[in-house]
Amino acid sequence: MDRKKATLIGLAAIVLWSTMVGLIRGVSEGLGPVGGAAMIYTLSGLLCLVTVGFPNLRRFSPRYLIAGSVLFVSYEICLALSLGYATTRHQAIEVGMVNYLWPSLTIVFAILFNRQRSTLWVIPGLLISLLGVSWVLGGENGLNPTEIARNVISNPLSYGLAFVGAFIWAAYCTVTSKYANGKNGITLFVLLTALTLWVKYLFSDQPEMVFSVPVVIKLLMCGVALGFGYASWNIGILHGNVTLLAAASYFTPVLSAALAAVLLNAPLSFSFWQGAMMVCAGSLLCWYATRARVG
């Protein structure tokens, strides 16, 4: 495949994934946090079967198969439920921003566990990302400890799931880099996520699913965004400009917030955008730390 075309396809994946916060929240409002997530990952898994195909598990490292499955399923559930359990649409967008600590954490994990060479720029990069998330949680007052605490205490489940999810995804990326050996288990992982969510839905007290035209449209869009997003990213990573794709992916928090604000009709304050830009800047600085000359 042509390198430029593959890179464009990879960039399309970033745009598709950036719609996830707004779409997952929209679906959960009609189908419930667990039921909506189960429907999304079922549809996405079926699309992955068509676009990526089911992997030959015999070729997989047992470490990657087990650890990858557990970490991927755990992360996707944390992400979906953190958005679904948010009390307001605006809070869902804030929760999504907390989740975007994962790019910086992924690089930190790569340094700690995969011996990734890096400069000390990674330290201010991580601190700026954390400052950005704190700035977002402070609302219109920016870095306000009282407001941050009030926000988190108002819904510790959503914020906690998003925060833990960021660490889990960083761990998943680290495990994939170390043990996957070029294999792609995404179809299996998405289907396992759907199965886990359906088990939770069937064996716990969940609200009734209420289907409507807007909810069904968002469900289809979300399934396509997730399913085709993984397929597009795979093409971009295999045949495109990986350096460009990596750099572009660090702008996802701002793009995601912008699309979520439109999809959910939830205007965001100037202070929120300041925090979002800090998260992006911190992630880029962490990335730069691994690209700069060491020693």
Side-chain angles (χ1 to χ4, degrees):
M1 179 177 286
D2 177 72
R3 192 165 187 253
K4 290 183 178 179
K5 183 178 179 180
T7 303
L8 287 174
I9 292 173
L11 291 172
I14 295 173
V15 177
L16 289 171
W17 285 335
S18 296
T19 65
M20 294 301 296
V21 169
L23 291 175
I24 289 176
R25 174 64 188 187
V27 172
S28 70
E29 288 178 351
L31 307 183
V34 178
M39 290 292 292
I40 289 169
Y41 286 97
T42 299
L43 179 57
S44 300
L46 294 175
L47 286 172
C48 284
L49 281 173
V50 175
T51 57
V52 181
F54 195 81
N56 184 345
L57 301 184
R58 294 180 180 178
R59 298 181 178 179
F60 279 55
S61 159
R63 289 181 178 179
Y64 171 58
L65 194 60
I66 296 171
S69 297
V70 172
L71 291 171
F72 184 94
V73 172
S74 300
Y75 168 74
E76 296 295 344
I77 290 176
C78 282
L79 174 62
L81 297 188
S82 68
L83 298 172
Y85 286 135
T87 52
T88 65
R89 291 181 169 186
H90 189 275
Q91 189 178 81
I93 299 175
E94 287 186 356
V95 166
M97 192 57 61
V98 174
N99 172 70
Y100 280 115
L101 279 172
W102 71 259
S104 298
L105 291 173
T106 298
I107 292 173
V108 172
F109 276 36
I111 294 168
L112 293 176
F113 303 113
N114 286 355
R115 298 181 180 178
Q116 169 69 54
R117 290 169 62 83
S118 172
T119 67
L120 291 177
W121 281 109
V122 71
I123 297 174
L126 180 60
L127 292 176
I128 291 172
S129 290
L130 290 169
L131 177 63
V133 169
S134 300
W135 204 278
V136 166
L137 297 182
E140 295 183 0
N141 299 315
L143 192 62
N144 185 318
T146 303
E147 190 63 30
I148 293 171
R150 184 183 295 118
N151 246 342
V152 175
I153 293 172
S154 70
N155 193 348
L157 179 60
S158 279
Y159 288 112
L161 285 171
F163 187 70
V164 171
F167 280 87
I168 293 174
W169 190 251
Y172 170 79
C173 293
T174 304
V175 167
T176 299
S177 174
K178 193 168 186 177
Y179 298 118
N181 297 322
K183 301 295 186 296
N184 184 8
I186 199 66
T187 302
L188 171 66
F189 298 159
V190 172
L191 290 172
L192 285 174
T193 303
L195 178 62
T196 304
L197 285 164
W198 280 120
V199 170
K200 179 172 176 56
Y201 180 81
L202 293 172
F203 292 96
S204 60
D205 186 21
Q206 298 296 329
E208 182 183 356
M209 293 188 188
V210 180
F211 289 90
S212 64
V213 173
V215 169
V216 171
I217 290 174
K218 288 177 182 177
L219 172 61
L220 293 173
M221 291 174 64
C222 194
V224 168
L226 188 60
F228 283 109
Y230 282 121
S232 300
W233 185 253
N234 206 39
I235 292 172
I237 291 297
L238 290 174
H239 306 290
N241 185 330
V242 177
T243 301
L244 176 61
L245 289 173
S249 69
Y250 292 120
F251 290 97
T252 306
V254 169
L255 182 58
S256 176
L259 291 174
V262 173
L263 289 166
L264 299 175
N265 191 25
L268 301 170
S269 66
F270 178 67
S271 179
F272 179 96
W273 293 115
Q274 287 179 314
M277 290 302 297
M278 289 181 201
V279 174
C280 291
S283 298
L284 280 169
L285 193 54
C286 286
W287 175 75
Y288 171 77
T290 64
R291 309 286 300 178
R293 187 181 296 277
V294 181

